[in-house]
Amino acid sequence: MKEKTAIQELIKGIWDENPVLVQLLGLCPTLAVTSSAENGLAMGLAATFVLLCSSFLVSMFRKMIPGQVRIAAYIVIIATFVTIADRFLAAFVPDISKSLGPFIPLIIVNCMILGRQEAFASKNGIGRSLLDAMGMGLGFTITLLVLSSIREILGSGTLFGMRVMWESFAEWGVMTQAPGAFITLGCLIAGANWINARRKA
Amino acid sequence: MNSTAKIIIVLTLITVISGGVLAVLDTYTKPRIEAYQNQLKKEAVSEVLPDNVKVETLEKNNLTYYKATKNNKVVAYAFQVSGGGYQSELVVMVGVTADFSEIIAAKIISQVETPGLGTKIEKDPSNKEHPTWFMDQFKGLKINPAITYVKNAKPSKDTEVQAITGATISSAAIVDILNKQIKAAKAIIGE
Amino acid sequence: MDIQSILIAAGSMGGLGLLFAVILAIANKKLHVEEDPRVTEIMDVIPNANCGGCGYPGCSAFADGVVKGEAPVNGCPVGGADVAELVAKIMGVEVNVAEKEVAQCQCQGGMEEIAYQGEYQGAQSCIAATLVSGGKKLCEFGCLGLGDCAAACQFGAIIISENRLPVIDPEKCVACGECVNVCPRDIMEMHPLSHRTKVLCKNHDIGRYATKVCTKACIACGACERKCPFDAIHVIDNLAVIDYEKCKHCGLCATVCPTKAIEHKKKPRKPKPIPEKEAEE
């Protein structure tokens, strides 16, 4: 395979291999917490933090961790960082921690994160793994932000809690619910595929 | 080093380090988290009790309650009640008069109900002048013989509240929790 | 800082870790599956495109197959000779380097050569067109020209010319066979580069009808069959077919073909893609 340049390594997670839109990984938090832009952003950043830290450690110790127990080792590393993120959110931004509810601990089993360790960090050097994690995390965060912004604007008429729609705008209640998440995500994936198809042609 | 020993050493080492790191972290964050929760509780307590009272925290039969006294006379009690809502546990701080006949105020401490529907019990964005109208109905509400709710109509009795359209189950859950647990608390505190 | 609570946390986590580590270590011993390290080594040198061109479900299955001796070391069409050599080195065998194969469109019936049966305005896909009426072109054996092969090609080796025929770039083609699989009319075929003589027609109509359908159709006249000094070309079911076991690529058949349905490329190895040039003649 061709070596990617540093920039390509970073960019691929944002578009070409976007974890949500292309790889369809980590959909549980994507669907569950994106009812408001604030939650989407917080979840994205929390996942990025965990991804960065775990990729760093996993790639650093990749030669020391025996293959037979690598999954167990990765999960413990990921779980440690998730707990750190969870506690920090609870201590410093309790409101967000409250609204993200049980989904922060669930980052542990977010397949995007374990997937990157298994597919990338365990085979590449620290620098590359960090770039990869940064790109994937950014891609995840941006996608969640877009998704949650659409849902918040249409579902509650607000963005980051501020009213952006006109006064008489009737909120689309369904957008704040699970079906709204599926519909919006479906439209986003369709849009991404459409753009890719046009770019190729 | 043979592979068996390596597996055991590496995995154990990772878990020990992980446990240690988390424990250290916990000592830093725990006080903050607890302080925040206490503050929330304190705020809620002062909100559901009358102004200018002395608040005392007491505990009896596993029930933590707050006794409000004014000029050495008990004027009100506040305590936390909780129960199942539509899809989450509802936790409500409620203040009642000393004779358990009237609710002074009730405030929701935590709920994760359906966004846009059940969440209206805490804050109803469709009612712009008065988004907290649902819980405010409990102010001064008579408890005996029992709190009831009506749908799509203004309450006509002094023990009645109006349920939220689209969130009947959440509304009813609050009424039910208050009915049962205020009586239970009365039994404990009143002893 | 509370040393005791830290010790408790680290101890309990460590205890759990130790317990699981022991379980895993035992499992590792008892349930050990002897995996040939060569599988991983092969995985590292093959392109990992998971295209399936080798006939295996994916690259790891192919690597497995090579180690088991089921798949040839040069079985990866995408990797080509370079990869075959690396794989052979891992396996410790000599490669007899397979000849590079290239996809070939076995039809010359572009918009200029073919007769029309009507307008086709349906979905622009060969498969869709076959399902309805067979598209615009009258020939029921020929290329539909709607580009399913080009869309299927992951390597950008096929483009559809203005004459509505696929043009294959032999440099880019890795012989993965996707276009062969996807073509609803089986026009696409894989041919080694040494096959310099080809019948570029699939029409089984009798000559009288075939001439009406396409100016470059094989009309089953048999001239090639009579001319061939090696008995390598025969008209079977109204279509000339070359037997590559016998064909010496002398090109005599191509010279006598009245409709130029047979293509013969001169020796200089650099094979030019057939399409546009041919079509313009």
Side-chain angles (χ1 to χ4, degrees):
Chain A
M1 260 196 293
K2 271 192 209 100
E3 282 282 299
K4 288 192 172 75
T5 64
I7 294 293
Q8 279 172 327
E9 205 74 80
L10 187 71
I11 300 294
K12 71 167 192 231
I14 298 176
W15 185 262
D16 290 338
E17 293 176 31
N18 183 299
V20 178
L21 298 180
V22 178
Q23 304 186 57
L24 304 189
L25 291 178
L27 290 189
C28 163
T30 306
L31 293 167
V33 302
T34 53
S35 54
S36 76
E38 195 181 46
N39 286 355
L41 185 64
M43 172 53 89
L45 292 178
T48 306
F49 163 77
V50 175
L51 184 55
L52 266 176
C53 298
S54 344
S55 280
F56 176 72
L57 277 194
V58 166
S59 75
M60 190 155 79
F61 295 121
R62 67 186 188 280
K63 299 221 170 74
M64 283 164 59
I65 298 174
Q68 299 92 328
V69 293
R70 63 180 194 283
I71 306 273
Y74 299 163
I75 281 289
V76 173
I77 291 174
I78 295 170
T80 308
F81 286 113
V82 169
T83 314
I84 293 174
D86 187 33
R87 301 293 290 190
F88 263 93
L89 283 178
F92 295 99
V93 274
D95 291 337
I96 289 179
S97 157
K98 217 168 110 182
S99 61
L100 290 178
F103 294 105
I104 290 288
L106 279 180
I107 295 177
I108 296 170
V109 285
N110 185 324
C111 18
M112 174 187 82
I113 293 173
L114 187 58
R116 285 337 281 174
Q117 311 313 326
E118 179 74 358
F120 201 93
S122 58
K123 294 176 191 156
N124 289 278
I126 295 175
R128 263 177 196 281
S129 300
L130 279 179
L131 283 173
D132 173 75
M134 194 70 213
M136 288 292 160
L138 270 179
F140 187 68
T141 310
I142 293 173
T143 316
L144 252 65
L145 188 60
V146 171
L147 180 63
S148 55
S149 301
I150 296 174
R151 285 183 66 195
E152 192 182 342
I153 292 174
L154 294 179
S156 326
T158 57
L159 185 61
F160 285 104
M162 279 176 303
R163 185 92 193 164
V164 289
M165 298 302 267
W166 55 95
E167 271 303 291
S168 58
F169 174 76
E171 288 89 7
W172 305 4
V174 71
M175 293 305 273
T176 61
Q177 312 269 307
F182 278 101
I183 293 168
T184 319
L185 180 63
C187 292
L188 282 184
I189 294 172
N193 280 336
W194 183 72
I195 292 171
N196 277 338
R198 299 258 306 196
R199 270 209 319 193
K200 242 189 216 166
Chain B
M1 184 161 49
N2 74 41
S3 74
T4 310
K6 195 175 174 188
I7 288 174
I8 295 176
I9 291 172
V10 170
L11 201 56
T12 313
L13 214 63
I14 289 178
T15 48
V16 168
I17 294 172
S18 156
V21 167
L22 289 181
V24 172
L25 177 83
D26 189 61
T27 56
Y28 283 111
T29 52
K30 203 176 179 185
R32 285 194 72 107
I33 297 172
E34 274 176 358
Y36 172 75
Q37 273 166 354
N38 280 336
Q39 187 201 339
L40 273 191
K41 221 174 223 174
K42 228 181 198 166
E43 276 171 16
V45 168
S46 67
E47 257 181 68
V48 298
L49 289 175
D51 296 334
N52 306 320
V53 291
K54 214 177 105 210
V55 181
E56 238 180 299
T57 308
L58 298 166
E59 202 181 324
K60 200 167 171 186
N61 291 0
N62 292 328
L63 176 80
T64 308
Y65 65 98
Y66 308 87
K67 187 165 79 174
T69 49
K70 203 171 189 176
N71 306 329
N72 288 330
K73 220 181 108 200
V74 181
V75 287
Y77 294 105
F79 43 86
Q80 196 171 298
V81 296
S82 61
Y86 179 60
Q87 61 178 38
S88 66
E89 197 192 15
L90 301 171
V91 182
V92 179
M93 181 65 77
V94 59
V96 295
T97 52
D99 58 355
F100 287 87
S101 67
E102 201 177 286
I103 293 176
I104 298 167
K107 185 179 188 300
I108 290 177
I109 292 179
S110 82
Q111 54 88 10
V112 196
E113 296 288 272
T114 321
L117 296 172
T119 49
K120 286 183 183 173
I121 54 173
E122 191 170 3
K123 201 173 156 206
D124 183 0
S126 67
N127 189 334
K128 293 205 173 57
E129 285 85 56
H130 195 182
T132 57
W133 66 272
F134 178 75
M135 289 315 286
D136 286 350
Q137 292 182 99
F138 290 94
K139 283 183 179 158
L141 198 72
K142 296 273 185 294
I143 297 168
N144 296 314
I147 310 168
T148 52
Y149 63 93
V150 288
K151 284 194 221 175
N152 300 323
K154 288 267 164 269
S156 55
K157 286 183 256 169
D158 56 6
T159 57
E160 235 170 39
V161 292
Q162 184 186 349
I164 295 172
T165 313
T168 317
I169 295 180
S170 304
S171 310
I174 298 265
V175 168
D176 187 53
I177 293 166
L178 289 176
N179 266 334
K180 283 193 184 134
Q181 300 196 14
I182 290 177
K183 290 207 170 75
K186 182 184 178 183
I188 296 173
I189 299 169
E191 268 172 13
Chain C
M1 207 183 299
D2 189 352
I3 296 292
Q4 202 186 349
S5 73
I6 293 173
L7 282 182
I8 289 174
S12 56
M13 277 290 285
L16 270 178
L18 183 66
L19 179 70
F20 285 120
V22 169
I23 293 175
L24 283 173
I26 293 171
N28 184 42
K29 269 264 161 65
K30 298 268 180 225
L31 310 172
H32 191 60
V33 181
E34 203 60 63
E35 195 194 47
D36 202 311
R38 288 179 297 181
V39 174
T40 347
E41 280 175 46
I42 293 175
M43 284 292 288
D44 287 341
V45 297
I46 55 179
N48 281 312
N50 281 321
C51 67
C54 52
Y56 284 84
C59 292
S60 63
F62 168 73
D64 227 25
V66 172
V67 171
K68 282 190 189 139
E70 292 164 1
V73 286
N74 53 16
C76 176
V78 181
D82 298 347
V83 167
E85 214 169 289
L86 289 171
V87 175
K89 205 181 276 169
I90 293 167
M91 294 299 294
V93 293
E94 286 289 313
V95 229
N96 32 7
V97 175
E99 202 179 354
K100 182 178 160 86
E101 292 200 347
V102 167
Q104 166 77 51
C105 174
Q106 303 284 100
C107 174
Q108 301 185 87
M111 296 314 252
E112 290 163 18
E113 291 82 10
I114 206 97
Y116 301 147
Q117 60 170 342
E119 273 304 318
Y120 172 74
Q121 297 192 328
Q124 294 297 300
S125 136
C126 305
I127 288 172
T130 11
L131 288 176
V132 204
S133 60
K136 190 175 182 181
K137 297 173 179 176
L138 189 52
C139 178
E140 55 184 291
F141 301 95
C143 173
L144 293 153
L146 295 172
D148 280 12
C149 47
C153 183
Q154 289 181 35
F155 305 94
I158 305 181
I159 52 168
I160 301 293
S161 73
E162 284 188 8
N163 199 23
R164 293 261 140 219
L165 280 177
V167 182
I168 293 117
D169 182 344
E171 298 288 308
K172 287 185 185 166
C173 177
V174 297
C176 69
E178 268 306 303
C179 50
V180 177
N181 293 338
V182 84
C183 179
R185 287 202 162 160
D186 297 333
I187 304 288
M188 288 304 227
E189 283 182 7
M190 281 300 159
H191 278 284
L193 283 178
S194 65
H195 287 187
R196 287 179 291 120
T197 316
K198 297 180 202 95
V199 180
L200 297 185
C201 184
K202 288 267 178 176
N203 192 309
H204 288 284
D205 287 327
I206 51 167
R208 192 154 35 91
Y209 188 56
T211 35
K212 283 183 189 155
V213 163
C214 177
T215 57
K216 290 211 171 160
C218 170
I219 54 172
C221 62
C224 47
E225 190 172 343
R226 287 188 294 277
K227 193 77 183 174
C228 182
F230 308 105
D231 190 32
I233 187 162
H234 297 279
V235 173
I236 301 166
D237 197 10
N238 294 320
L239 179 65
V241 178
I242 296 173
D243 180 351
Y244 286 107
E245 299 274 302
K246 294 178 183 167
C247 179
K248 301 271 189 272
H249 301 283
C250 63
L252 280 176
C253 48
T255 57
V256 296
C257 181
T259 57
K260 300 272 175 278
I262 304 177
E263 182 210 49
H264 175 70
K265 283 191 213 132
K266 294 259 159 57
K267 202 122 203 217
R269 265 299 170 87
K270 257 217 149 174
K272 267 212 180 124
I274 353 82
E276 270 152 312
K277 269 260 168 97
E278 297 275 338
E280 279 160 21
E281 276 172 9

